[in-house]
Amino acid sequence: ALPISDVLQVKEFLGEEYFIENKIPSERIHEFLEFSIIEKPEIKKHMKTGNQTQIMMILEELFSIYHKRLETNNIDKKNE
């Protein structure tokens, strides 16, 4: 697991609204960010330099991957 502070820093930095607008429900933001930082550890480097644009560009890619993953998980559950 990641240090919880990494996840919270990114969440604070971009604000909850940003994630909700990108169809990440607030109860899933934490999970999404853990997934994001594991997939793209360079997010932490961009956090240190405060490079919001870079972080958003990375997250843009990951939103769709994460949504697909959620759909797949939901399909799995339906088929049980």
Side-chain angles (χ1 to χ4, degrees):
L2 290 161
I4 200 156
S5 60
D6 286 344
V7 170
L8 290 175
Q9 275 184 323
V10 180
K11 186 180 167 181
E12 295 280 295
F13 189 55
L14 297 172
E16 198 166 312
E17 280 303 304
Y18 170 73
F19 298 97
I20 294 167
E21 281 164 18
N22 285 287
K23 300 186 176 60
I24 306 287
S26 53
E27 69 275 9
R28 291 237 181 228
I29 294 173
H30 206 98
E31 182 186 87
F32 170 72
L33 282 170
E34 285 201 331
F35 158 78
S36 301
I37 295 168
I38 290 164
E39 290 288 310
K40 303 277 186 183
E42 62 270 27
I43 288 173
K44 294 200 285 195
K45 184 185 74 188
H46 296 310
M47 272 304 296
K48 286 196 182 77
T49 56
N51 191 337
Q52 195 172 14
T53 315
Q54 233 11 77
I55 295 169
M56 285 175 156
M57 278 168 66
I58 295 168
L59 293 180
E60 289 299 316
E61 282 173 52
L62 292 169
F63 285 128
S64 54
I65 299 167
Y66 182 76
H67 287 307
K68 282 197 188 81
R69 190 174 277 201
L70 281 185
E71 281 162 26
T72 312
N73 291 348
N74 289 341
I75 292 162
D76 291 347
K77 286 192 183 80
K78 284 191 190 99
N79 290 340
E80 273 166 18

